Amino acid sequence: MAKKTAAYDNQSITALKGPDRVRKRPAVIFGSDGLEGCEHSVFEILSNSVDEARQGYGDTIEIRVFADHSIEITDWGRGVPLGWNEKEGRYNWELIYCELYAGGKYNNNAEGASYEFSLGLNGLGACATQYSSEYFEVTSFDGEYKYEVSFRKGRPIGTDGKPVVLEANPPREVLDRILRVSPLTKGERRTGTIQRWKPDIEVFTAIDIPLDYYLELLKKQAVVNAGLTFRLFWQSEPGSDKFEEYTFLYKNGIVDYVAELAGEDALTEPVFWKTETVGRDRPDKEDYKLKVECAFCCSNTVNVIEYYHNSSFLEHGGSPDRAVRSAFVAEIDRWLKANGKYNKNESKITFADVQDCLVLVTNSHSTQT
């Protein structure tokens, strides 16, 4: 006989608030409460720096990983705006790091938007990562001032060093005690953002992200962001001043990567195409912008096909894979027919016949994902 439980009535329903919205259900945002989810949180912070660089602000991103599993990401973009937002009547540090679905990337399909082609969760990633951290420190530079804000287990820390519980619509005088602002000296003047945090083992079942994850992630980002340099500093021993250093840069993006993959024994030289267009997915939907790059060559020793969209690796290929399969089969079939290359009763060529000698990478970006 089933065991009876407590009453389920109108008083049984509760709403998670503040940090608990992520801390108690991290898998809802990150896809997992294990190591994969923790890795995803790193990607979310990195993606914001990549978006800045893609808009032309900064050409280098540095990632420093410490032996205690804390992470620091530094960029030289415009600096995350943390000050007072007159339109919203709130501080931007609160909107960005304490409010889900708040950010500057929701109008990216409009002319003059701050971001056009952005990656990440767009309005979720920074807040969710902050909420899921043991601590989270932000330092932002706008060329004139340095702005600093700190969090512990999802709660902002006041200038007195004590955590502040943000109730609904907290008074301005409470919020004023959280953001620290100081003028930059002549020697300090710069723009950009430094974010240092430690994933919370109380939220994720594992936080020991391996070196291989960072190496693969940064290489892929370098491939699809031509000319952007990623520097990784890996501390293997606690308290040591020594960091292993790794640098990733592909000046010409995917075409350099295809050449690297194919090596010197490639059957053909890499070719590269790119185009920009505007379209819509349904007649009743708005138009959006699309950029596509494609590089490939032929090889009898190497077979690699990779697809990326908005700087994210498409593990299962998606629509770019369907497009590649259709295009290569159609064009090669057309050429074989036109030149009489099919033998009598021979079957039409399939993509399986093509892909064994193909080294191909596509890189697409759209203002709607």
Side-chain angles (χ1 to χ4, degrees), residues 208-224:
D208 52 337
I209 300 174
L211 174 61
D212 286 348
Y213 169 78
Y214 290 99
L215 296 178
E216 181 180 4
L217 171 65
L218 299 182
K219 180 172 183 175
K220 289 184 183 300
Q221 287 303 307
V223 164
V224 295

Side-chain angles (χ1 to χ4, degrees), residues 24-302:
K24 290 192 174 183
R25 294 292 185 270
V28 174
I29 300 293
F30 299 119
S32 165
D33 65 352
L35 191 62
E36 288 184 354
C38 187
E39 291 171 343
H40 193 158
S41 72
V42 174
F43 175 76
E44 289 302 321
I45 300 302
L46 177 66
S47 68
N48 290 331
S49 294
V50 172
D51 285 341
E52 276 292 282
R54 285 191 57 81
Q55 290 299 118
Y57 300 98
D59 59 5
T60 301
I61 297 172
E62 292 185 352
I63 299 90
R64 200 169 292 267
V65 183
F66 298 86
D68 68 349
H69 310 309
S70 61
I71 305 118
E72 182 178 273
I73 295 182
T74 301
D75 67 47
W76 283 263
R78 289 167 288 187
V80 174
L82 301 177
W84 185 254
N85 186 323
E86 290 289 351
K87 182 180 68 173
E88 295 290 337
R90 299 167 72 180
Y91 273 100
N92 282 317
W93 64 256
E94 184 190 1
L95 291 170
I96 294 170
Y97 293 104
C98 300
E99 187 68 67
L100 297 171
Y101 298 103
K105 302 176 185 177
Y106 291 121
N107 65 337
N108 60 332
N109 202 34
E111 289 296 329
S114 299
Y115 298 93
E116 274 195 314
F117 306 101
S118 57
L119 58 156
L121 291 175
N122 290 357
L124 291 172
C127 175
T129 302
Q130 187 282 112
Y131 275 163
S132 63
S133 298
E134 182 179 325
Y135 65 83
F136 199 102
E137 310 277 352
V138 185
T139 304
S140 181
F141 307 86
D142 66 2
E144 296 293 333
Y145 292 91
K146 177 170 67 174
Y147 304 83
E148 298 173 278
V149 64
S150 302
F151 305 89
R152 296 290 183 275
K153 295 187 180 293
R155 304 290 186 189
I157 301 299
T159 51
D160 59 0
K162 297 179 180 179
V164 178
V165 177
L166 295 181
E167 304 293 349
N169 301 314
R172 172 93 183 249
E173 56 266 24
V174 171
L175 300 175
D176 287 344
R177 299 200 304 267
I178 294 169
L179 182 65
R180 304 182 298 280
V181 184
S182 57
L184 294 174
T185 66
K186 187 175 181 180
E188 291 178 319
R189 287 192 178 168
R190 55 159 292 187
T191 61
T193 307
I194 302 172
Q195 298 174 89
R196 170 83 181 266
W197 77 100
K198 183 178 180 181
D200 199 337
I201 193 64
E202 294 179 3
V203 176
F204 300 107
T205 59
I207 62 171
D208 52 337
I209 300 174
L211 174 61
D212 286 348
Y213 169 78
Y214 290 99
L215 296 178
E216 181 180 4
L217 171 65
L218 299 182
K219 180 172 183 175
K220 289 184 183 300
Q221 287 303 307
V223 164
V224 295
N225 291 286
L228 179 55
T229 299
F230 294 85
R231 291 198 177 97
L232 173 65
F233 300 86
W234 176 269
Q235 184 188 48
S236 54
E237 296 181 15
S240 172
D241 293 333
K242 295 182 179 180
F243 287 77
E244 298 172 27
E245 297 185 21
Y246 305 85
T247 299
F248 302 89
L249 170 64
Y250 287 83
K251 290 184 178 180
N252 301 302
I254 62 173
V255 69
D256 286 351
Y257 181 48
V258 166
E260 175 186 286
L261 290 170
E264 297 179 357
D265 299 327
L267 295 174
T268 64
E269 290 291 322
V271 295
F272 175 75
W273 293 301
K274 65 178 181 179
T275 189
E276 296 184 28
T277 189
V278 174
R280 59 182 63 187
D281 293 329
R282 278 197 335 236
D284 59 321
K285 292 285 189 178
E286 291 184 356
D287 283 348
Y288 61 88
K289 302 173 187 176
L290 173 69
K291 291 182 179 181
V292 180
E293 297 178 341
C294 177
F296 80 92
C297 70
C298 295
S299 169
N300 58 6
T301 59
V302 179

